[in-house]
Amino acid sequence: FNTKLANVDLGEGLNIIAYNMFYGCSSLESIYIGDNIELIEACAFYNSGLKEVTIPDSVYSIGSVAFGECENLVSAYIGKNVEMVFNSFYNCDNLESVGFAEGFKGEMMYAFEYCDKLSDVDLPSTVVQISYAAFRGCESIESVELPESLEMVDGHAFDDTQWLENQ
């Protein structure tokens, strides 16, 4: 593990953030993900010190627990071309807000499961499905505005949230 790396600029020349690339980099606080990046593989930033992340529109897939267990992560923004967010932000205890680019239609399966402090979820008007357990265990979610485009909410999508308990 690199414990001294604090800031990274993934500009031109790279199109994949590889498996375990920044795994356990606890001092990594900020990262710039350039428009050339297309894929973020599993565990790429697992248990790193990131505070916020913006996934550009060029990314089409975010791997399993790519940002899992990032205890310092407080906000995430996901680009419109991401097709799958599978367990990508698992157990990010301090994640408070998640936003999606207008045009996002990707699948969110277990995407933000057990992000205890997640309270602000900004779904775009283009989202059509909220998959299985996408926000399960996000205890702090008190309200969610479901867009008219939504066609399906899979089982357990909002289990153990304040919002579901208040319905």
Side-chain angles (χ1 to χ4, degrees), residues 25-31 33 40 44-55 62 65-78 85 87-99 111-120:
C25 291
S26 58
S27 62
L28 180 62
E29 294 182 356
S30 69
I31 187 148
I33 300 173
I40 300 173
F45 297 95
Y46 186 86
N47 200 23
S48 72
L50 286 178
K51 293 181 178 181
E52 61 182 13
V53 64
T54 298
I55 311 294
I62 305 171
V65 294
F67 298 93
E69 304 273 346
C70 288
E71 292 185 7
N72 297 328
L73 191 64
V74 293
S75 69
Y77 182 80
I78 299 172
V85 184
N87 205 24
S88 303
F89 293 87
Y90 174 78
N91 203 27
C92 292
D93 290 338
N94 292 302
L95 184 63
E96 297 173 358
S97 67
V98 174
F112 303 97
E113 190 175 36
Y114 301 115
C115 294
D116 299 340
K117 293 185 181 172
L118 182 58
S119 60
D120 181 16

Side-chain angles (χ1 to χ4, degrees), residues 9-140:
D9 182 338
L10 298 176
E12 297 182 33
L14 186 69
N15 59 356
I16 294 173
I17 300 175
Y19 175 80
N20 283 350
M21 190 167 187
F22 298 100
Y23 182 106
C25 291
S26 58
S27 62
L28 180 62
E29 294 182 356
S30 69
I31 187 148
Y32 169 74
I33 300 173
D35 289 337
N36 47 302
I37 301 294
E38 297 173 356
L39 173 63
I40 300 173
E41 291 187 340
C43 302
F45 297 95
Y46 186 86
N47 200 23
S48 72
L50 286 178
K51 293 181 178 181
E52 61 182 13
V53 64
T54 298
I55 311 294
D57 290 341
S58 58
V59 173
Y60 66 86
S61 184
I62 305 171
S64 178
V65 294
F67 298 93
E69 304 273 346
C70 288
E71 292 185 7
N72 297 328
L73 191 64
V74 293
S75 69
Y77 182 80
I78 299 172
K80 67 180 180 182
N81 294 316
V82 174
E83 297 170 0
M84 173 62 83
V85 184
F86 178 75
N87 205 24
S88 303
F89 293 87
Y90 174 78
N91 203 27
C92 292
D93 290 338
N94 292 302
L95 184 63
E96 297 173 358
S97 67
V98 174
F100 297 85
E102 193 61 37
F104 176 85
K105 294 180 181 179
E107 187 172 350
M108 299 176 276
M109 184 176 288
Y110 303 100
F112 303 97
E113 190 175 36
Y114 301 115
C115 294
D116 299 340
K117 293 185 181 172
L118 182 58
S119 60
D120 181 16
V121 178
D122 184 16
L123 296 171
S125 65
T126 50
V127 77
V128 293
Q129 176 178 339
I130 299 175
S131 299
Y132 189 84
F135 298 98
R136 178 171 55 192
C138 297
E139 299 168 354
S140 299

